[in-house]
Amino acid sequence: MPAADMEAMDYVIKAGHTVYINGGAVRDGVMGKELNDVDFSTDATIDELLAIVPNSHKTMASKVELVQAEHEDGMRTDMVPYRGMDIRLKDLSGVPESEYFGQAYSKYLIDDSYGRDLTINAVYYDYKTGDIIDYHGGLHDIREKIIRTLYEPSLAFTVDPQRILRGVRFAARYEFTIDENMAKAIVPNLYKLETITPSICRNVVLKGFCDKCAFRTYQYNVKYGLLDYLCPMLKDYIGNADFEEYLKTVFDYVDSQKAM
């Protein structure tokens, strides 16, 4: 892990709080990939984090307030208090009771886990003990190369439509298979993408084309119906051998430039 991230976590632990590395860093670490972006969840509040970690400030990401530590090398560490569960999950089968339903923050790590988009991104690493915390079978899905939401896909897409885009993106990046129930739910729920700000939708989609697998990302977007919805002007070209041969050349160039 980057030294700057470890330094930020050490400050929080020394102050008596818990620290769990979350999301993509744990997923990639389990898969043996290099860690470039380490974020962590904690039971410390926003105000406590600001008082504990030097050179830190409040910011927003995906409608969530968090604390970001700035480091001399230009790196940043995102620190997020445990998030409360969406009120729409209350009484859902398999979801535990919580006093923090509908609230921005919680005191429980398991509550925070239900705010994650996919099981593979809902795995935590206890920085202090070295334990891995996995409430939703994320390790199994990484091993079996499956993309799956934490609960019923249509509800998951209602809570956050970006999960459709991110699910397809990660499936393409790692050459994973999207779970059958999730795959069936994608096209009927594409209209929910209209609730996302266009600039955010664009940025999420373009991230997939910057994962050094641009042509495969295109293929997965076609396979799961996203391209028909997002770019209907291409309907006469998709599946055309000459067009796709041209696209393959373009996207190989994109991969070589590491930018879209």
Side-chain angles (χ1 to χ4, degrees):
M1 281 179 283
D5 293 317
M6 291 192 287
E7 182 180 30
M9 289 186 280
D10 287 336
Y11 279 117
V12 179
I13 289 173
K14 287 176 182 176
H17 296 285
T18 57
V19 167
Y20 293 94
I21 299 172
N22 64 46
V26 186
R27 176 199 68 228
D28 288 348
V30 167
M31 295 175 70
K33 299 182 182 299
E34 182 181 0
L35 306 186
N36 296 309
D37 182 20
V38 176
D39 305 332
F40 68 83
S41 301
T42 175
D43 64 350
T45 66
I46 292 288
D47 290 339
E48 287 171 334
L49 288 169
L50 290 170
I52 293 167
V53 183
N55 302 316
S56 59
H57 62 272
K58 284 193 290 188
T59 187
M60 295 289 293
S62 299
K63 300 181 181 179
V64 175
E65 189 174 52
L66 54 88
V67 174
Q68 199 169 69
E70 302 276 355
H71 308 297
E72 290 182 357
D73 56 5
M75 291 183 61
R76 298 173 179 176
T77 304
D78 287 348
M79 304 169 283
V80 191
Y82 300 154
R83 293 180 289 180
M85 278 194 274
D86 192 283
I87 192 64
R88 287 167 285 194
L89 303 188
K90 189 173 177 60
D91 300 324
L92 190 68
S93 176
V95 176
E97 280 298 320
S98 174
E99 60 203 272
Y100 296 101
F101 272 114
Q103 298 189 32
Y105 301 108
S106 169
K107 284 296 180 183
Y108 305 118
L109 181 65
I110 192 168
D111 288 6
D112 184 87
S113 73
Y114 277 91
R116 303 289 156 181
D117 54 358
L118 306 165
T119 59
I120 65 170
N121 294 333
V123 182
Y124 299 83
Y125 176 80
D126 187 329
Y127 175 67
K128 186 175 182 180
T129 68
D131 294 330
I132 287 183
I133 313 297
D134 178 17
Y135 297 112
H136 305 283
L139 292 176
H140 167 274
D141 290 349
I142 291 171
R143 183 170 58 249
E144 298 300 321
K145 299 184 177 182
I146 296 171
I147 298 294
R148 185 166 56 89
T149 54
L150 279 68
Y151 45 89
E152 195 278 318
S154 290
L155 177 57
F157 298 156
T158 298
V159 172
D160 184 1
Q162 288 188 54
R163 290 168 179 170
I164 298 174
L165 305 175
R166 288 172 59 80
V168 173
R169 174 194 173 190
F170 287 119
R173 177 196 280 187
Y174 300 120
E175 295 186 83
F176 281 14
T177 299
I178 294 181
D179 168 75
E180 183 178 356
N181 290 331
M182 180 177 171
K184 288 179 179 178
I186 289 176
V187 171
N189 285 282
L190 285 175
Y191 72 94
K192 294 174 182 176
L193 295 176
E194 295 174 13
T195 64
I196 304 175
T197 304
S199 60
I200 292 177
C201 185
R202 174 183 178 276
N203 288 339
V204 174
V205 171
L206 288 185
K207 279 183 178 180
F209 286 95
C210 297
D211 284 337
K212 299 182 182 179
C213 56
F215 187 65
R216 188 165 68 242
T217 295
Y218 161 79
Q219 291 175 311
Y220 274 66
N221 275 272
V222 170
K223 177 179 179 180
Y224 293 105
L226 266 69
L227 208 63
D228 280 345
Y229 183 82
L230 296 173
C231 302
M233 70 289 292
L234 294 180
K235 65 180 181 180
D236 294 333
Y237 297 90
I238 293 172
N240 179 291
D242 290 338
F243 175 69
E244 297 205 341
E245 183 179 350
Y246 167 72
L247 271 188
K248 179 70 166 58
T249 303
V250 171
F251 285 139
D252 284 348
Y253 176 76
V254 169
D255 287 345
S256 73
Q257 299 301 303
K258 303 179 183 178
M260 180 65 175

